[in-house]
Amino acid sequence: MVTDNYRLKRPLTGIYTGLCCSRSKANIVVTCDMPFLNTALLEHMVKLSPAYDAIVPRWPNMQKEPLHAVYSLSCLQTMKKHLETNRLSIIHVLKEMHVLHLNKRGFAELDPQFYSFLNINDQADIDLANKIAAERKI
C-alpha cells in the first residue's frame, strides 16, 4: 500500500500515484467495488495498450469507463500537469492523451453481459451482485 502523492482525494490522484509506483508499461486500473472483473477482457486491453497512453472502454452514449482501463507510464506527465494545476477530472486528462476508446463491440465479445462494469454503490447493487453470483455459482 502507498500513500497518494497529492492530498486531493480524486481518482486521478490514485491513478497517478499507482503509476508512479509501477514498473509495468501497461497498468490495469479498476475500482475496488467491481466484483465481476473479466480477466479475458483485461488481458485483451493490455494486449492493445503498447501503441496508446490508455485503453478506455466507451459506451454507445459516449460515456467512458476510466476506472476500468489500462494506463501506460506515458500518462504520468499529463496527469502531473493536471494535478499541479488542480484540474482533477480524469475525463479531461484523457482528452490530452493518445487513447484507444474500446467500443461496446470491442468488449461485448469477451463480456457479453457487461458484468465487468457493475460496481457496488448501494443495497440494490449488492442484491444484484448476489443474484449474479448465485446464477454463476461463484
Side-chain angles (χ1 to χ4, degrees), residues 27-30 42 45 54-57 65-71:
N27 298 273
I28 296 169
V29 172
V30 295
L42 292 169
M45 292 168 65
I55 309 295
V56 180
E65 296 282 354
L67 300 179
H68 184 291
V70 174
Y71 292 90

Side-chain angles (χ1 to χ4, degrees), residues 1-22 27-31 66-67 71 73 75-76 79-80 83 88-90 93:
M1 186 145 94
V2 297
T3 303
D4 285 342
N5 291 356
Y6 292 85
R7 296 191 75 123
L8 310 165
K9 295 185 178 5
R10 299 291 300 257
L12 178 58
T13 306
I15 296 168
Y16 176 79
T17 300
L19 291 176
C20 284
C21 295
S22 177
N27 298 273
I28 296 169
V29 172
V30 295
T31 64
L67 300 179
Y71 292 90
L73 296 179
C75 298
L76 284 170
M79 290 179 174
K80 183 176 183 176
L83 286 163
L88 306 176
S89 167
I90 188 67
V93 172

Side-chain angles (χ1 to χ4, degrees), residues 11 29-35 37 66-69 116-120:
V29 172
V30 295
T31 64
C32 63
D33 62 353
M34 294 178 145
L37 294 173
L67 300 179
H68 184 291
S116 291
F117 302 99
L118 174 68
N119 65 344
I120 306 298

